Amino acid sequence: MKLILIILTILSLGTTASAQKYSFTFKTDKTTDSVMYLGQHFRDKLIILDTAKVEKGVVRFDGTRQWKRGVYVLIDQTKNKGVLDFMIDDSQTITFTLKGNSTKVKGSESNQKMFDFLAYEESARAKAKELEERDVRRQILQRLTGSADHHPTT
């Protein structure tokens, strides 16, 4: 009987040692939800892995577990809408601050680089749309005036 207790004790120590504290915090002005979920995309569904209360615009998922590296999603209260996709890398302590269309990250350089790139991409897309609209206006003006070399000032 003592041998079984010793073996069980050793096994429980081994599993505790592999677990790690984690804390994923989201500060947002984008939600009126009282509960949010941490999950993953699976085909066309969202799989819920953890739950946290929203208190004064802050959602904190914390506990003891080793999260695998990968892409995760912050899910709204309805359980059918992803609010923010993010990565869990080697860091198990990450803070995301969502303000307007901007996302700032502490504790994960790879997430910050991803959100910086997404912001750049959105800015470039808006600039391209503006240039395209300007070109369309120029073409319409050329057709109306019959002038191929007329360049409107902007």
Side-chain angles (χ1 to χ4, degrees):
M1 184 67 174
K2 280 186 177 182
L3 181 61
I4 292 173
L5 287 173
I6 291 172
I7 291 172
L8 288 175
T9 304
I10 290 171
L11 288 175
S12 70
L13 289 175
T15 58
T16 306
S18 66
Q20 182 179 349
K21 287 186 178 183
Y22 70 90
S23 177
F24 306 121
T25 304
F26 300 85
K27 299 175 183 177
T28 179
D29 58 0
K30 295 182 177 186
T31 187
T32 58
D33 292 349
S34 59
V35 173
M36 295 189 91
Y37 305 95
L38 188 147
Q40 285 187 303
H41 295 278
F42 180 72
R43 297 187 183 169
D44 63 341
K45 298 188 179 359
L46 295 170
I47 308 300
I48 294 174
L49 303 171
D50 201 354
T51 306
K53 290 182 178 181
V54 179
E55 296 177 358
K56 297 181 182 177
V58 177
V59 185
R60 181 172 286 113
F61 298 92
D62 54 11
T64 305
R65 170 184 171 175
Q66 179 65 41
W67 288 84
K68 291 183 180 180
R69 295 172 65 117
V71 178
Y72 293 82
V73 59
L74 180 64
I75 303 169
D76 74 354
Q77 189 167 298
T78 66
K79 299 182 185 177
N80 61 12
K81 181 182 170 199
V83 175
L84 179 75
D85 290 325
F86 64 98
M87 296 179 290
I88 294 179
D89 49 19
D90 294 332
S91 176
Q92 297 286 298
T93 303
I94 308 171
T95 299
F96 299 87
T97 304
L98 292 74
K99 224 176 215 176
N101 292 334
S102 151
T103 302
K104 298 293 179 195
V105 182
K106 287 185 183 172
S108 172
E109 185 178 344
S110 55
N111 272 294
Q112 187 59 61
K113 285 181 179 181
M114 178 181 73
F115 288 112
D116 287 347
F117 174 76
L118 291 173
Y120 167 77
E121 183 182 47
E122 181 63 31
S123 171
R125 190 174 296 131
K127 182 68 173 170
K129 183 177 179 182
E130 176 188 325
L131 292 172
E132 184 179 313
E133 289 171 355
R134 188 181 306 166
D135 188 50
V136 168
R137 285 192 306 265
R138 182 183 55 78
Q139 290 175 8
I140 291 171
L141 186 59
Q142 284 177 352
R143 286 184 188 144
L144 291 173
T145 62
S147 169
D149 60 345
H150 183 269
H151 299 286
T153 59
T154 56

